[in-house]
mmCIF file of all heavy atoms in Angstrom:
data_model
loop_
_atom_site.group_PDB
_atom_site.id
_atom_site.type_symbol
_atom_site.label_atom_id
_atom_site.label_comp_id
_atom_site.label_asym_id
_atom_site.label_seq_id
_atom_site.Cartn_x
_atom_site.Cartn_y
_atom_site.Cartn_z
ATOM 1 N N PHE A 16 1.891 -16.305 12.563
ATOM 2 C CA PHE A 16 2.732 -15.294 13.215
ATOM 3 C C PHE A 16 4.126 -15.413 12.683
ATOM 4 O O PHE A 16 4.951 -14.283 12.671
ATOM 5 C CB PHE A 16 2.754 -15.446 14.666
ATOM 6 C CG PHE A 16 1.296 -15.058 15.379
ATOM 7 C CD1 PHE A 16 0.793 -15.695 16.444
ATOM 8 C CD2 PHE A 16 0.593 -14.019 14.923
ATOM 9 C CE1 PHE A 16 -0.367 -15.335 17.051
ATOM 10 C CE2 PHE A 16 -0.481 -13.505 15.347
ATOM 11 C CZ PHE A 16 -1.040 -14.229 16.357
ATOM 12 N N ASN A 17 4.588 -16.547 12.306
ATOM 13 C CA ASN A 17 6.049 -16.772 12.028
ATOM 14 C C ASN A 17 6.388 -16.906 10.637
ATOM 15 O O ASN A 17 7.570 -16.602 10.235
ATOM 16 C CB ASN A 17 6.597 -17.964 12.827
ATOM 17 C CG ASN A 17 6.395 -17.919 14.292
ATOM 18 O OD1 ASN A 17 6.830 -16.973 14.859
ATOM 19 N ND2 ASN A 17 5.989 -18.926 15.024
ATOM 20 N N GLU A 18 5.471 -17.399 9.752
ATOM 21 C CA GLU A 18 5.704 -17.558 8.415
ATOM 22 C C GLU A 18 5.294 -16.508 7.524
ATOM 23 O O GLU A 18 5.887 -16.094 6.390
ATOM 24 C CB GLU A 18 5.217 -18.889 7.867
ATOM 25 C CG GLU A 18 5.770 -20.261 8.604
ATOM 26 C CD GLU A 18 7.272 -20.344 8.474
ATOM 27 O OE1 GLU A 18 7.744 -20.048 7.215
ATOM 28 O OE2 GLU A 18 7.865 -20.780 9.308
ATOM 29 N N LEU A 19 4.088 -15.954 7.645
ATOM 30 C CA LEU A 19 3.498 -15.045 6.767
ATOM 31 C C LEU A 19 4.491 -13.805 6.698
ATOM 32 O O LEU A 19 4.586 -13.177 5.593
ATOM 33 C CB LEU A 19 2.127 -14.496 7.223
ATOM 34 C CG LEU A 19 0.893 -15.510 6.794
ATOM 35 C CD1 LEU A 19 -0.380 -14.930 7.355
ATOM 36 C CD2 LEU A 19 0.909 -15.825 5.354
ATOM 37 N N PRO A 20 5.036 -13.158 7.825
ATOM 38 C CA PRO A 20 5.964 -12.014 7.686
ATOM 39 C C PRO A 20 7.111 -12.230 6.704
ATOM 40 O O PRO A 20 7.617 -11.332 6.094
ATOM 41 C CB PRO A 20 6.377 -11.741 8.977
ATOM 42 C CG PRO A 20 5.321 -12.436 9.952
ATOM 43 C CD PRO A 20 4.764 -13.601 9.163
ATOM 44 N N LYS A 21 7.518 -13.586 6.501
ATOM 45 C CA LYS A 21 8.605 -13.799 5.652
ATOM 46 C C LYS A 21 8.482 -13.476 4.286
ATOM 47 O O LYS A 21 9.546 -13.309 3.473
ATOM 48 C CB LYS A 21 9.099 -15.266 5.871
ATOM 49 C CG LYS A 21 9.583 -15.591 7.300
ATOM 50 C CD LYS A 21 9.959 -17.044 7.340
ATOM 51 C CE LYS A 21 10.370 -17.420 8.875
ATOM 52 N NZ LYS A 21 10.563 -18.915 8.962
ATOM 53 N N THR A 22 7.164 -13.458 3.823
ATOM 54 C CA THR A 22 6.960 -13.285 2.380
ATOM 55 C C THR A 22 6.111 -12.071 2.114
ATOM 56 O O THR A 22 5.751 -11.759 1.007
ATOM 57 C CB THR A 22 6.172 -14.486 1.832
ATOM 58 O OG1 THR A 22 4.974 -14.756 2.664
ATOM 59 C CG2 THR A 22 6.878 -15.710 1.713
ATOM 60 N N PHE A 23 6.123 -11.114 3.173
ATOM 61 C CA PHE A 23 5.317 -9.919 3.002
ATOM 62 C C PHE A 23 6.343 -8.906 2.277
ATOM 63 O O PHE A 23 7.142 -8.361 2.987
ATOM 64 C CB PHE A 23 4.797 -9.374 4.298
ATOM 65 C CG PHE A 23 3.944 -8.139 4.094
ATOM 66 C CD1 PHE A 23 2.692 -8.127 3.616
ATOM 67 C CD2 PHE A 23 4.330 -6.932 4.485
ATOM 68 C CE1 PHE A 23 1.828 -7.071 3.460
ATOM 69 C CE2 PHE A 23 3.593 -5.616 4.382
ATOM 70 C CZ PHE A 23 2.365 -5.833 3.840
ATOM 71 N N ASN A 24 6.121 -8.608 1.000
ATOM 72 C CA ASN A 24 6.965 -7.720 0.332
ATOM 73 C C ASN A 24 6.222 -6.959 -0.677
ATOM 74 O O ASN A 24 6.351 -7.292 -1.839
ATOM 75 C CB ASN A 24 8.182 -8.564 -0.253
ATOM 76 C CG ASN A 24 9.394 -7.643 -0.716
ATOM 77 O OD1 ASN A 24 9.406 -6.410 -0.412
ATOM 78 N ND2 ASN A 24 10.173 -8.209 -1.514
ATOM 79 N N PRO A 25 5.523 -5.836 -0.308
ATOM 80 C CA PRO A 25 4.535 -5.259 -1.367
ATOM 81 C C PRO A 25 5.447 -4.327 -2.233
ATOM 82 O O PRO A 25 5.459 -3.049 -1.919
ATOM 83 C CB PRO A 25 3.819 -4.363 -0.320
ATOM 84 C CG PRO A 25 4.494 -4.172 0.863
ATOM 85 C CD PRO A 25 5.361 -5.422 1.071
ATOM 86 N N LYS A 26 6.019 -4.928 -3.239
ATOM 87 C CA LYS A 26 6.857 -4.138 -4.105
ATOM 88 C C LYS A 26 6.138 -2.979 -4.901
ATOM 89 O O LYS A 26 6.813 -2.088 -5.480
ATOM 90 C CB LYS A 26 7.594 -5.014 -5.083
ATOM 91 C CG LYS A 26 8.447 -6.163 -4.467
ATOM 92 C CD LYS A 26 9.239 -7.032 -5.309
ATOM 93 C CE LYS A 26 10.108 -7.973 -4.638
ATOM 94 N NZ LYS A 26 10.814 -8.897 -5.559
ATOM 95 N N ASP A 27 4.743 -3.085 -5.132
ATOM 96 C CA ASP A 27 4.097 -2.063 -5.764
ATOM 97 C C ASP A 27 3.361 -1.092 -5.056
ATOM 98 O O ASP A 27 2.561 -0.292 -5.526
ATOM 99 C CB ASP A 27 3.083 -2.824 -6.752
ATOM 100 C CG ASP A 27 3.600 -3.776 -7.707
ATOM 101 O OD1 ASP A 27 4.762 -3.524 -8.073
ATOM 102 O OD2 ASP A 27 2.997 -4.776 -8.076
ATOM 103 N N TRP A 28 3.731 -1.056 -3.702
ATOM 104 C CA TRP A 28 3.035 -0.066 -2.780
ATOM 105 C C TRP A 28 3.591 1.317 -3.159
ATOM 106 O O TRP A 28 4.711 1.605 -3.153
ATOM 107 C CB TRP A 28 3.454 -0.429 -1.356
ATOM 108 C CG TRP A 28 3.287 0.534 -0.392
ATOM 109 C CD1 TRP A 28 4.045 1.217 0.468
ATOM 110 C CD2 TRP A 28 1.844 1.124 0.044
ATOM 111 N NE1 TRP A 28 3.467 2.093 1.371
ATOM 112 C CE2 TRP A 28 2.097 2.089 1.050
ATOM 113 C CE3 TRP A 28 0.561 0.809 -0.403
ATOM 114 C CZ2 TRP A 28 1.084 2.796 1.684
ATOM 115 C CZ3 TRP A 28 -0.469 1.592 0.244
ATOM 116 C CH2 TRP A 28 -0.180 2.500 1.241
ATOM 117 N N ASP A 29 2.634 2.170 -3.577
ATOM 118 C CA ASP A 29 2.986 3.591 -3.851
ATOM 119 C C ASP A 29 1.843 4.411 -3.091
ATOM 120 O O ASP A 29 0.798 4.564 -3.811
ATOM 121 C CB ASP A 29 2.986 3.757 -5.333
ATOM 122 C CG ASP A 29 3.335 5.189 -5.762
ATOM 123 O OD1 ASP A 29 3.234 6.100 -4.816
ATOM 124 O OD2 ASP A 29 3.709 5.512 -6.890
ATOM 125 N N PRO A 30 2.101 4.935 -1.969
ATOM 126 C CA PRO A 30 1.098 5.583 -1.302
ATOM 127 C C PRO A 30 0.477 6.848 -2.052
ATOM 128 O O PRO A 30 -0.615 7.209 -1.757
ATOM 129 C CB PRO A 30 1.671 5.825 0.146
ATOM 130 C CG PRO A 30 3.111 5.739 -0.188
ATOM 131 C CD PRO A 30 3.336 4.812 -1.142
ATOM 132 N N GLU A 31 1.364 7.538 -2.818
ATOM 133 C CA GLU A 31 0.904 8.740 -3.478
ATOM 134 C C GLU A 31 -0.137 8.329 -4.453
ATOM 135 O O GLU A 31 -1.014 9.096 -4.796
ATOM 136 C CB GLU A 31 2.138 9.295 -4.237
ATOM 137 C CG GLU A 31 2.949 10.158 -3.209
ATOM 138 C CD GLU A 31 3.697 11.284 -4.003
ATOM 139 O OE1 GLU A 31 3.245 11.971 -4.893
ATOM 140 O OE2 GLU A 31 4.998 11.257 -3.803
ATOM 141 N N ARG A 32 -0.074 7.147 -5.055
ATOM 142 C CA ARG A 32 -1.186 6.776 -6.029
ATOM 143 C C ARG A 32 -2.517 6.713 -5.299
ATOM 144 O O ARG A 32 -3.442 7.147 -5.801
ATOM 145 C CB ARG A 32 -0.951 5.512 -6.805
ATOM 146 C CG ARG A 32 0.317 5.578 -7.677
ATOM 147 C CD ARG A 32 0.479 4.203 -8.424
ATOM 148 N NE ARG A 32 1.587 4.237 -9.383
ATOM 149 C CZ ARG A 32 1.924 3.126 -10.061
ATOM 150 N NH1 ARG A 32 1.262 1.930 -9.943
ATOM 151 N NH2 ARG A 32 2.826 3.275 -10.854
ATOM 152 N N LEU A 33 -2.465 6.115 -4.086
ATOM 153 C CA LEU A 33 -3.812 5.867 -3.369
ATOM 154 C C LEU A 33 -4.388 7.403 -2.950
ATOM 155 O O LEU A 33 -5.456 7.603 -3.003
ATOM 156 C CB LEU A 33 -3.582 4.996 -2.279
ATOM 157 C CG LEU A 33 -3.562 3.507 -2.447
ATOM 158 C CD1 LEU A 33 -3.413 2.905 -1.163
ATOM 159 C CD2 LEU A 33 -4.769 3.060 -3.262
ATOM 160 N N VAL A 34 -3.270 8.162 -2.505
ATOM 161 C CA VAL A 34 -3.842 9.385 -1.929
ATOM 162 C C VAL A 34 -4.247 10.168 -3.132
ATOM 163 O O VAL A 34 -5.305 11.022 -2.972
ATOM 164 C CB VAL A 34 -2.536 10.121 -1.363
ATOM 165 C CG1 VAL A 34 -2.968 11.561 -1.142
ATOM 166 C CG2 VAL A 34 -2.256 9.350 0.073
ATOM 167 N N MET A 35 -3.770 10.218 -4.288
ATOM 168 C CA MET A 35 -4.253 10.943 -5.474
ATOM 169 C C MET A 35 -5.520 10.416 -5.832
ATOM 170 O O MET A 35 -6.427 11.204 -6.170
ATOM 171 C CB MET A 35 -3.225 10.993 -6.695
ATOM 172 C CG MET A 35 -2.112 11.806 -6.331
ATOM 173 S SD MET A 35 -0.928 12.103 -7.806
ATOM 174 C CE MET A 35 -0.086 10.459 -7.670
ATOM 175 N N LEU A 36 -5.713 9.164 -5.812
ATOM 176 C CA LEU A 36 -7.127 8.560 -6.137
ATOM 177 C C LEU A 36 -8.151 9.117 -5.160
ATOM 178 O O LEU A 36 -9.209 9.503 -5.616
ATOM 179 C CB LEU A 36 -7.034 6.945 -6.174
ATOM 180 C CG LEU A 36 -6.602 6.310 -7.258
ATOM 181 C CD1 LEU A 36 -6.331 4.860 -7.053
ATOM 182 C CD2 LEU A 36 -7.614 6.491 -8.504
ATOM 183 N N ALA A 37 -7.811 9.040 -3.899
ATOM 184 C CA ALA A 37 -8.684 9.512 -2.858
ATOM 185 C C ALA A 37 -8.946 11.027 -3.080
ATOM 186 O O ALA A 37 -10.139 11.400 -2.943
ATOM 187 C CB ALA A 37 -8.051 9.328 -1.446
ATOM 188 N N ARG A 38 -8.091 11.795 -3.357
ATOM 189 C CA ARG A 38 -8.160 13.230 -3.536
ATOM 190 C C ARG A 38 -9.074 13.544 -4.744
ATOM 191 O O ARG A 38 -10.005 14.381 -4.574
ATOM 192 C CB ARG A 38 -6.752 13.923 -3.740
ATOM 193 C CG ARG A 38 -6.857 15.433 -3.860
ATOM 194 C CD ARG A 38 -5.301 15.904 -4.000
ATOM 195 N NE ARG A 38 -5.184 17.436 -3.941
ATOM 196 C CZ ARG A 38 -5.274 18.157 -4.948
ATOM 197 N NH1 ARG A 38 -5.472 17.589 -6.144
ATOM 198 N NH2 ARG A 38 -5.146 19.461 -4.828
ATOM 199 N N ASN A 39 -8.859 12.781 -5.842
ATOM 200 C CA ASN A 39 -9.689 13.078 -6.969
ATOM 201 C C ASN A 39 -11.055 12.533 -6.782
ATOM 202 O O ASN A 39 -12.012 12.950 -7.398
ATOM 203 C CB ASN A 39 -9.015 12.334 -8.158
ATOM 204 C CG ASN A 39 -7.822 12.945 -8.749
ATOM 205 O OD1 ASN A 39 -7.584 14.230 -8.469
ATOM 206 N ND2 ASN A 39 -7.007 12.281 -9.479
ATOM 207 N N ALA A 40 -11.327 11.506 -5.800
ATOM 208 C CA ALA A 40 -12.678 11.168 -5.702
ATOM 209 C C ALA A 40 -13.425 11.965 -4.675
ATOM 210 O O ALA A 40 -14.556 11.726 -4.564
ATOM 211 C CB ALA A 40 -12.588 9.738 -5.002
ATOM 212 N N GLY A 41 -12.683 12.999 -4.172
ATOM 213 C CA GLY A 41 -13.419 13.877 -3.256
ATOM 214 C C GLY A 41 -13.229 13.699 -1.757
ATOM 215 O O GLY A 41 -13.914 14.260 -0.976
ATOM 216 N N MET A 42 -12.331 12.658 -1.520
ATOM 217 C CA MET A 42 -12.133 12.365 -0.067
ATOM 218 C C MET A 42 -11.288 13.335 0.580
ATOM 219 O O MET A 42 -10.198 13.735 0.082
ATOM 220 C CB MET A 42 -11.719 10.903 0.011
ATOM 221 C CG MET A 42 -12.472 9.905 -0.525
ATOM 222 S SD MET A 42 -11.719 8.292 -0.996
ATOM 223 C CE MET A 42 -13.090 7.258 -1.131
ATOM 224 N N LYS A 43 -11.560 13.776 1.787
ATOM 225 C CA LYS A 43 -10.816 14.838 2.449
ATOM 226 C C LYS A 43 -9.837 14.221 3.518
ATOM 227 O O LYS A 43 -9.064 14.922 4.117
ATOM 228 C CB LYS A 43 -11.741 15.778 3.201
ATOM 229 C CG LYS A 43 -12.722 16.535 2.206
ATOM 230 C CD LYS A 43 -11.842 17.390 1.378
ATOM 231 C CE LYS A 43 -12.794 18.256 0.340
ATOM 232 N NZ LYS A 43 -11.913 19.089 -0.619
#
């Protein structure tokens, strides 16, 4: 609870990439 949040830093998070992958896979 106290240490893990200190290092959570998803610098490569790009939700548009995931959404486009989902869209192209046919997910609605």
